[in-house]
Structure formats: C-alpha cells, structure tokens
Amino acid sequence: MSKNSTPGNPQPSRQAAAKAPSPAGKPAQVIEEIRPGQSIELLKELHILTREGKLNQDTRRKLKQVYHLYQFIAPLLQAVAGKPGGFTLADHGAGKSYLGFILYDLFFNVAHPGEPVSGHIYGIETRAELVEKSRALAARLGFANMSFLNLSVQQATSSDELPPAVDIVTALHACDTATDDAIAFGLAKQARHMVLVPCCQAEVAGVLKKSRALNLSKTPLAELWRHPLHTREFGSQITNVLRCLQLEANGYQVTVTELVGWEHSMKNELILASRPATPSRAKTQAAQDRLQAVLQELGLAELGERFAVVAEPA
C-alpha cells in the first residue's frame, strides 16, 4: 500500500496522479483525483470519465461522492477481510453495479494491489439485461471475485448462489420497501454490517394518511402529519427512525449521517449498522420496547410485522 494512502481514504501524491490518454502530439491531462491503480476503463464505463478520459465539473463532483461513500465502507471491508475464506458483500438493487465495481476497484486494485486479500462481491438485481452487462464488464476488467445474480431480495435470501452468511449488506438508493427487504436479508444472513441509503419511502405515509382522522382525535401529535405535504415528509422521516430502531432491536449499533451535501441530493441519509460479537441484552430489549411504543403512539401497529422483528438472543 502506498504510504500516501489508507484503505478508508486513499490520497494520491501529485507525482502519482493519473494521466488521461491524449491524441498524439498533445499533452495528457493530469487528473489528480484518480487514485494510482484505478481502472480507467471502469471509470469510462461508469461515465465518471469521458470517452476521451477527461473529467468535467459534473463528473468531478460524482467522483468526489464515490470517494466519500468509500470512506464509510472501506473500514468495514478491512475489518472483515482477514477472516478465513475472505469477506462477502451483497449489494441489493445493484442496477449497473456502480457501487460494487467501485468498491472492488478501490479495495483490491488501489488499497491492496498484489496483496493476499480475499473476498467476494455479489451484485443482486432483478433486471436480467443489467446483470448480463455487469457480468460482461467484470470479465473484461478481470474482476474475478465478483458475481451478479438475477434475483429479487427475497429470492436471494434462500438462494444457493449466495453463502449462508454474508459479512456486509449494501443497498444504495433502494426505493420504498426495498430497503426493508435488504434489512430482512441482512438479518437472515447474520450480516456484521449494513450500509443503507433509503429512497422514496411511501408505505408509512400511506398508513398515516389512512388513519389520520382517528389519530387527530386521539393525540395532538397527529398534527405532525395532518397536511399531505407533512404526511409525505414525516412518513419518510419516521420510516428511517423505525428502521434504525429495528436494527438496534436486533443488536446492531447504528449511526445515521449524510451521504453527500444536501446541494447534491435530497435522498441523502446514510444508515450504518454494525453488530458486535456480543450485543448488549439491555440495549436490545430497550430498543424493542421503544420500537413498539413508537408504532403504538403513531397508529402504525399494522406495520409491526415489517419493523418489529424479534431480536435474536444476544
């Protein structure tokens, strides 16, 4: 590993900055943001670099966001990389497997080039054409420790194509209940870490709207979601609160932070959950109690089967 880099936040030196290919007779563009060892072909395929191998203002911002997300995930990969057989990471709703490819490239090719680090990244996606494209790109790049599965989250939970336990579960911009499905997968697979960026939460808002009149007669708190706009925004907020409580009720330690600055995206909440080897029984029970109390207070008891999962014994 370069003395100028770390797995969580590799920093290239000016001398090591990548040079984009240029037509004969013209000087190459020096791109200091690109880490030594990164795949230029991958960055072009992901449209971070132009076909000419250059960065513009928009793609420079995108690359900065990529590195920001990697800073959160790299320490988790490092923590599980030394286990026998290597780590396993499952990325749900992978789409074009943007996240999986970037993680693979930065972790194996940049942070640990030539080192005996083993692991496998699975991209799980329901659109067959995207799965095939990802398989072809991985083969072309020589990313041997990547697999792409044409499965739903529910199918993936019981599929023989995945190991019985998975170290890290990611779900980037998983819409509405897809984030909850990814959490259920992580619980079933005894994931040590989950990295979630929820998007477009609508289910809880629908339940709040349905029971609005009854709740207004029972509690002044219903004013928080009396107006339709507030229903949508509060529903989105409380959805993620319930997800965090669900994870804590299953023994996870949860941190919520911003993925990027609000000027880049309003779908910005990043939920990081890690399960210690021996979760605290007292904290797990307290989270279960708070989760039930919130569901009852807000008239969301019918969502108990989704959120109020009974924690495994610590």
Side-chain angles (χ1 to χ4, degrees), residues 3 28 51 58 83 96 154 201 212 226 236 238 241 251-252 255 269 283 289 303:
K3 67 179 180 180
R51 286 300 171 188
D58 288 338
K83 59 174 288 192
K96 297 179 181 178
Q154 293 87 348
Q201 300 92 318
R212 182 185 300 145
R226 180 162 65 93
S236 178
I238 199 62
V241 170
Y252 287 82
T255 301
E269 188 167 333
K283 291 181 179 179
D289 294 342
L303 296 177

Side-chain angles (χ1 to χ4, degrees), residues 21-87:
S22 62
K26 294 185 178 181
Q29 179 193 21
V30 176
I31 304 175
E32 296 183 0
E33 289 87 349
I34 297 178
R35 309 317 194 205
Q38 268 190 279
S39 169
I40 299 300
E41 183 180 355
L42 173 62
L43 294 177
K44 289 181 179 180
E45 288 287 342
L46 299 179
H47 304 294
I48 291 176
L49 290 179
T50 67
R51 286 300 171 188
E52 293 75 32
K54 296 183 178 181
L55 280 173
N56 56 39
Q57 184 175 356
D58 288 338
T59 56
R60 195 178 300 274
R61 184 182 302 115
K62 182 183 291 187
L63 188 59
K64 182 179 179 181
Q65 293 175 19
V66 166
Y67 291 152
H68 186 65
L69 180 59
Y70 180 70
Q71 289 176 17
F72 290 108
I73 300 179
L76 309 182
L77 289 171
Q78 193 66 35
V80 298
K83 59 174 288 192
F87 71 83

Side-chain angles (χ1 to χ4, degrees), residues 251 275 277-281 284 311-314:
R275 194 175 193 272
T278 306
S280 166
R281 286 182 178 273
T284 298
E312 298 177 1

Side-chain angles (χ1 to χ4, degrees), residues 255-275:
T255 301
V256 181
T257 188
E258 291 182 357
L259 174 59
V260 293
W262 287 109
E263 69 273 16
H264 298 308
S265 174
M266 294 301 289
K267 309 300 182 183
N268 194 44
E269 188 167 333
L270 174 63
I271 299 173
L272 300 165
S274 295
R275 194 175 193 272

Side-chain angles (χ1 to χ4, degrees), residues 193-214:
H193 308 283
M194 298 194 214
V195 180
L196 311 166
V197 180
C199 184
C200 306
Q201 300 92 318
E203 182 188 37
V204 171
V207 177
L208 289 171
K209 179 180 179 181
K210 182 174 63 175
S211 59
R212 182 185 300 145
L214 176 62

